[in-house]
Amino acid sequence: NSFCTLLVGQVFPFSFSRIIMSELAHHFEAFASFGGPASTEMDNAHFAKMCKECGIIDGKTFTTTDADMLFTKAKTKGARKISYQQFVDTIIPGIAAKKKMSNEAVADMIAHSSPKSSGTKAESTRFHDDKSQYTGVYKAGGPTNVDRNAGNLSGIVDRRVEADVRGTTATQKQTYH
């Protein structure tokens, strides 16, 4: 095997063009960072996502269980993530051996794919989205927590004034009728 050295000084045990290596590093970081802050290390969930979206997991020659076992083999003991160097040294040759492909073909599959977001969009709901369908209190704009005069608490705290069953005083009734 020939060795390929990147500008950053990393040595890889198989021959890739510099373009594929830079694309591979870029896509590794894109998958590792998907849905969160930028990261140069990949966890198992992002690795499984990468394998699925690159077409590496096919359900026959390479399954999600194989991906989990390969990830566990590649990471250092007690760690939760793998570095790019571990990815190139262990993951790519492991996938290539399991799928009976060349390391270059596996790297090319990863270098030519990117993470996809498959979020869903809620359907419209007549009673929620159409304000002309609102009834009761909500038709008038919804309930309020400022039913009394906010600047004057005398009607609420004055115990000398007679109140009805609800606790409303005569001065409060006058303000709202």
Side-chain angles (χ1 to χ4, degrees):
N1 285 342
S2 62
F3 288 89
C4 178
T5 306
L6 281 181
L7 297 175
V8 292
Q10 296 175 326
V11 179
F12 301 102
F14 37 89
S15 62
F16 284 149
S17 71
R18 286 184 188 263
I19 296 168
I20 296 254
M21 290 309 295
S22 67
E23 283 184 29
L24 186 63
H26 174 73
H27 288 279
F28 174 84
E29 288 183 14
F31 277 107
S33 304
F34 185 76
S39 176
T40 57
E41 294 184 318
M42 184 180 290
D43 64 5
N44 196 9
H46 288 103
F47 175 65
K49 177 181 178 57
M50 182 195 69
C51 289
K52 287 175 188 167
E53 292 184 4
C54 293
I56 293 170
I57 292 178
D58 56 11
K60 294 178 183 169
T61 57
F62 198 82
T63 63
T64 54
T65 305
D66 295 326
D68 288 339
M69 289 173 43
L70 184 59
F71 184 86
T72 303
K73 179 182 173 187
K75 71 180 181 68
T76 55
K77 189 171 185 172
R80 294 185 63 232
K81 295 183 176 189
I82 59 169
S83 67
Y84 179 66
Q85 189 69 43
Q86 290 169 315
F87 176 75
V88 173
D89 291 343
T90 310
I91 298 288
I92 291 179
I95 293 171
K98 184 76 175 158
K99 289 186 70 75
K100 296 183 174 93
M101 299 170 69
S102 69
N103 293 340
E104 292 80 10
V106 172
D108 192 53
M109 286 173 73
I110 296 166
H112 289 93
S113 63
S114 59
K116 299 171 188 71
S117 176
S118 59
T120 58
K121 187 173 189 282
E123 295 180 16
S124 62
T125 306
R126 181 177 64 144
F127 294 115
H128 180 268
D129 299 333
D130 186 6
K131 292 189 179 190
S132 67
Q133 298 287 318
Y134 287 3
T135 60
V137 172
Y138 299 99
K139 189 172 191 175
T144 177
N145 58 358
V146 190
D147 290 338
R148 297 185 174 98
N149 184 358
N152 186 359
L153 296 176
S154 64
I156 299 171
V157 297
D158 189 4
R159 305 274 186 232
R160 297 172 296 167
V161 181
E162 287 293 320
D164 65 3
V165 177
R166 295 184 314 142
T168 306
T169 63
T171 57
Q172 289 172 331
K173 288 181 186 175
Q174 290 173 357
T175 20
Y176 291 106
H177 289 287

